[in-house]
Amino acid sequence: MIIGTGIDLVDIPRFERTLERTPRLRERLFAPGERSLRLPSLAARYAAKEALIKTLGGSDGVHWIEIEIASEASGRPHFVLSGTTAEVVAARGITRLHLTLTHDAGLAAAFVVAEGEPL
């Protein structure tokens, strides 16, 4: 059963300016394995994290660096959750998260679908 969906869109040049103005933001928003990625990929991952928060209905108990977006060998993205963020997702009855990312023409987007049994 679908428990929730979320979508987010990021203007990549604006995101770049934000990261330039606040260099430590990269450390607060991204897990260590994400930080060295190119800007369009970072923007898409930021959109994925925002979309996940929308899917959950809020950010209570969610921490940005506990949400990592990794890629399978095929390139397919997926969430790697840890800490209280993983607990929040499980507490909502979510057993599977689907994620798609894209970036083109100065924009990055992410769409998330959460499956499971609502508690």
Side-chain angles (χ1 to χ4, degrees):
M1 162 183 250
I2 294 177
I3 294 177
T5 62
I7 188 169
D8 197 64
L9 181 67
V10 173
D11 179 304
I12 296 172
R14 181 176 172 204
F15 184 71
E16 179 178 30
R17 289 189 303 273
T18 300
L19 288 178
E20 287 171 353
R21 278 193 317 270
T22 315
R24 294 200 58 212
L25 195 57
R26 191 178 293 246
E27 293 171 6
R28 292 195 320 248
L29 295 177
F30 299 103
E34 298 172 309
R35 293 177 191 155
S36 64
L37 295 171
R38 293 177 6 143
L39 188 64
S41 293
L42 279 180
R45 280 162 172 74
Y46 177 79
K49 294 173 188 215
E50 284 281 1
L52 176 62
I53 289 168
K54 291 173 182 175
T55 301
L56 297 173
S59 62
D60 290 345
V62 175
H63 302 281
W64 287 90
I65 62 169
E66 294 178 350
I67 307 168
E68 184 172 359
I69 292 82
S71 297
E72 296 175 0
S74 66
R76 179 180 174 193
H78 64 276
F79 287 105
V80 178
L81 305 177
S82 60
T84 59
T85 301
E87 293 170 10
V88 165
V89 169
R92 288 192 168 86
I94 297 169
T95 57
R96 185 155 185 202
L97 290 166
H98 303 273
L99 170 64
T100 188
L101 305 173
T102 189
H103 49 79
D104 189 28
L107 297 171
F111 185 73
V112 176
V113 176
E115 281 188 282
E117 294 299 325
L119 302 177

